[in-house]
Amino acid sequence: MEVSEEGIRRVQPLAQSGLSRVPPQYIQPLHTRPVFHTPTEPRNIPLIDLSFFDPTRRASTRESIASACRDWGVFHVTNHGVPLSLLAAIRRTGRAFFTDCSMSEKLRYACSTTASEGYGSKMLATSDQQQDDAQVLDWRDYFDHHTLPLSRRNPDRWPEFPPDYRDTVARYSDEMKILAQKLLALISESLGLRASCIEDAVGEFYQNITISFYPPCPEPDLTLGLQSHSDIGAITLLIQDDVEGLQVLKSDDGGGDKWVTVEPLSDAVLVLLADQTEIITNGKYKSCEHRAITNPDRARLSVATFHDPAKTVKISPVSELIDESSPAKYRDVVYGDHVLSWYTKGPEGKRNIDALVLDS
């Protein structure tokens, strides 16, 4: 058995052991299990061409972003300015760590605690009341990198193989920061706010890059690669390989909710609004609830770049979006308190931000 310092078994060697049934700690309760046999009408995530931020197209881009943020809370962007070769490079180096490094080499970088930097498997764990509060684990291994501010960035904590791994992650971090700033400016402007409004409310970015590896799973109908949640920060930028698995929750015309699979697009970056942006915009734009399902035949890889406030920052709806006809809908929250709630109680969809909604 391959385990980390905290005694959590790694999923990849578990999957490679040839087991035909998943261990019970990975079995989701009935109400959260994915349903594969129900036919659903295809629905495409909005795709927005940023045209390399051409100023002559800024107004139409803002309109597209406003529609995507109102209706989905998630959208793809192309012609975003990040070199496509860099997107390919971080996919390649991330996959090489998981598939080409020995377990002993991987465990050199093992996380010591939940949500700390390094190689891990247990970032989120849900409590299933029907299983006597047993923790249900995600079918996923990951490597989490602390990348910004630069005072947090220590490449010595990152893998040395392949040889360009550390340089690739550092360059990717810098490019994602620039893209996040440009996107938050457009999102602010789409609400009639000054371009810097949301970024000013967030403050200096605390950026983490998480490379997730989802091994093939013998019972995908019982498991999740990543349980349903919304991200806790301001904005998340994600890329995938060519294997489907990411799903977002979308309200349908009949008032219900349906899971929509996000088609992998090799040259696009997926933008997910997170909880702090929902609060800052006073609920005009909602954070995106999402999850990852598993695959019986192919491993899947994704790279998520999170842009969060410092834990001491107090987040509240911006004054420009509050008046007598539209009062504040959320309580102020110190970001560190929101993080603590998320990791101690578990996400369970969006229950942590829902707890901040004021009574109408």
Side-chain angles (χ1 to χ4, degrees), residues 209-230:
I209 296 176
T210 302
I211 302 178
S212 295
F213 186 80
Y214 302 90
C217 178
E219 295 184 292
D221 56 325
L222 300 182
T223 58
L224 287 173
L226 191 60
Q227 65 183 276
S228 173
H229 67 286
S230 58

Side-chain angles (χ1 to χ4, degrees), residues 124 229-230 232 275 338-347 352:
L124 306 180
H229 67 286
S230 58
I232 51 180
D275 288 351
H338 189 66
V339 173
L340 181 63
S341 172
W342 200 85
Y343 278 107
T344 55
K345 296 179 181 178
N352 290 292

Side-chain angles (χ1 to χ4, degrees), residues 120-319:
S121 296
K122 182 185 175 183
M123 182 175 287
L124 306 180
T126 94
S127 177
D128 178 11
Q129 298 292 337
Q130 295 180 340
Q131 295 183 15
D132 298 323
D133 290 332
Q135 289 193 321
V136 183
L137 301 178
D138 295 326
W139 192 262
R140 176 186 77 136
D141 296 330
Y142 65 85
F143 200 109
D144 188 47
H145 313 73
H146 294 179
T147 44
L148 290 174
L150 290 176
S151 59
R152 299 172 71 234
R153 184 187 294 183
N154 183 357
D156 289 342
R157 298 191 182 121
W158 307 343
E160 297 178 275
F161 178 85
D164 60 340
Y165 187 107
R166 293 175 175 179
D167 177 66
T168 298
V169 171
R171 289 189 295 119
Y172 189 79
S173 163
D174 295 340
E175 290 285 351
M176 288 293 109
K177 176 187 177 183
I178 293 169
L179 179 57
Q181 290 173 317
K182 291 180 176 179
L183 286 166
L184 286 180
L186 285 166
I187 292 168
S188 293
E189 290 178 353
S190 75
L191 286 166
L193 304 169
R194 66 186 186 282
S196 65
C197 184
I198 295 177
E199 186 178 351
D200 288 346
V202 172
E204 183 178 26
F205 283 153
Y206 276 64
Q207 183 198 70
N208 284 21
I209 296 176
T210 302
I211 302 178
S212 295
F213 186 80
Y214 302 90
C217 178
E219 295 184 292
D221 56 325
L222 300 182
T223 58
L224 287 173
L226 191 60
Q227 65 183 276
S228 173
H229 67 286
S230 58
D231 293 335
I232 51 180
I235 190 170
T236 302
L237 306 179
L238 182 141
I239 62 172
Q240 308 184 70
D241 62 10
D242 62 345
V243 180
E244 289 185 347
L246 178 65
Q247 295 186 324
V248 300
L249 193 63
K250 176 71 170 70
S251 298
D252 61 24
D253 295 336
D257 294 328
K258 290 185 178 179
W259 288 105
V260 178
T261 299
V262 179
E263 179 186 0
L265 301 176
S266 62
D267 61 346
V269 174
L270 188 72
V271 182
L272 297 110
L273 300 189
D275 288 351
Q276 306 315 302
T277 295
E278 177 171 333
I279 295 170
I280 292 166
T281 65
N282 202 32
K284 293 185 181 298
Y285 295 161
K286 301 290 189 179
S287 58
C288 175
E289 186 172 343
H290 54 286
R291 69 181 185 182
I293 59 175
T294 58
N295 184 300
D297 305 311
R298 299 179 64 191
R300 175 176 170 264
L301 183 127
S302 69
V303 184
T305 307
F306 305 95
H307 298 87
D308 304 341
K311 291 185 178 179
T312 56
V313 171
K314 179 180 285 189
I315 299 294
S316 59
V318 294
S319 59

